[in-house]
Amino acid sequence: MPGLLQDHIAAVTGAGSGIGRAIALGYAREDAQIAVLDINGQTAARTAAAIRAAGGKARDFALDITDRNACRAIAAQVAAEIGPISILVNNAGINRRNAFTGDADAVVKDWQDIMAINLNGPFNVTHAFLDQLRRAKGRIVNIASIQSFVHVRTPNSPAYTTSKHGVLGFTRALAAELGKDGVRVNAIGPGLIETPLNERVRANNPELIKIFLDHTPLGRTGKPEDIVGPAIFLASDLSAYVTGSIVMADGGYRTI
Ligand code: NAP
């Protein structure tokens, strides 16, 4: 039986690690061809190799999503070497947890870096691939967060919270504008997912992990694979009438 994403070409940013890698592998299992994009060319190559080893189709490209010109160049290269994309996953992101009232230099650097990657990055990549996505009546999946809504339980990452609120706003704004072109734009809101992004926090800050788990009805942290089903849903025809939405994949965190 053909996969849910047969005949699609998907670009996934930050696909060398964690959630992006899992989505890239999951989309390939559903028969999409994958453009594996990551700032780290070596991890991107490893993801693409894993996809090919499993019988899928993938090519890797090193891309720093903060570099607008590089995004344009990669968009053209992907179209020329694989074909125009019909699915874009804006996944690459970083987090740092310095209080706004803490060391001034650290606060300023966090703000600049996090906005550059988490918010300007999706803008740069989406803008670069926009023509391809409009021609294909494509689908955009943005990786947001529980911090697209809440801040009070984790009060020490103002830049990250602001950036993920922005990702949700970007999702809704593009859904409103691109619907007439048949382009659907949605977001996923992961809870605490075990990836390298939070490896140190999980090792060194059990109190913070306890706060998360005390508010997670399913009682466990998530794995990257927990995000793959929602990502396939939002990229496939299963969600043909879904746009401007956010699918929470957070173990129920926002309900209590
Ligand atoms: P991850 O394992 O650290 O993966 C992120 C990937 O993005 C890494 O390969 C990283 O490369 C890459 N990257 C960083 N800066 C980049 C840039 N400028 N251009 C291109 N690629 C870049 O993190 P993750 O947990 O999978 O996070 C993926 C997304 O999910 C992020 O947007 C994050 O905010 C979001 N999210 C994660 C969680 C969670 O609990 N893990 C929860 C909610 C939302 P390097 O490793 O070389 O820097």
Side-chain angles (χ1 to χ4, degrees), residues 40-135:
N40 183 331
Q42 286 180 336
T43 59
R46 279 205 286 274
T47 298
I51 289 171
R52 289 191 297 268
K57 289 186 180 161
R59 294 197 54 172
D60 51 285
F61 303 84
L63 174 66
D64 177 354
I65 62 170
T66 68
D67 182 339
R68 193 163 301 158
N69 290 330
C71 290
R72 289 199 192 106
I74 289 291
Q77 197 182 344
V78 168
E81 293 182 10
I82 307 178
I85 67 163
S86 49
I87 299 168
L88 171 63
V89 182
N90 282 310
N91 164 78
I94 61 166
N95 192 5
R96 294 198 202 116
R97 295 184 181 279
N98 290 308
F100 194 61
T101 48
D103 175 73
D105 290 341
V107 170
V108 169
K109 185 162 171 35
D110 282 1
W111 186 269
Q112 288 173 337
D113 292 350
I114 289 175
M115 291 305 157
I117 296 171
N118 292 10
L119 199 49
N120 293 343
F123 170 86
N124 293 338
V125 179
T126 306
H127 207 234
F129 280 107
L130 185 60
D131 288 346
Q132 297 177 41
L133 289 162
R134 288 176 81 193
R135 273 202 301 275

Side-chain angles (χ1 to χ4, degrees), residues 149-160:
F149 300 95
V150 284
H151 193 210
V152 67
R153 292 176 197 139
T154 54
N156 58 350
S157 45
Y160 185 79

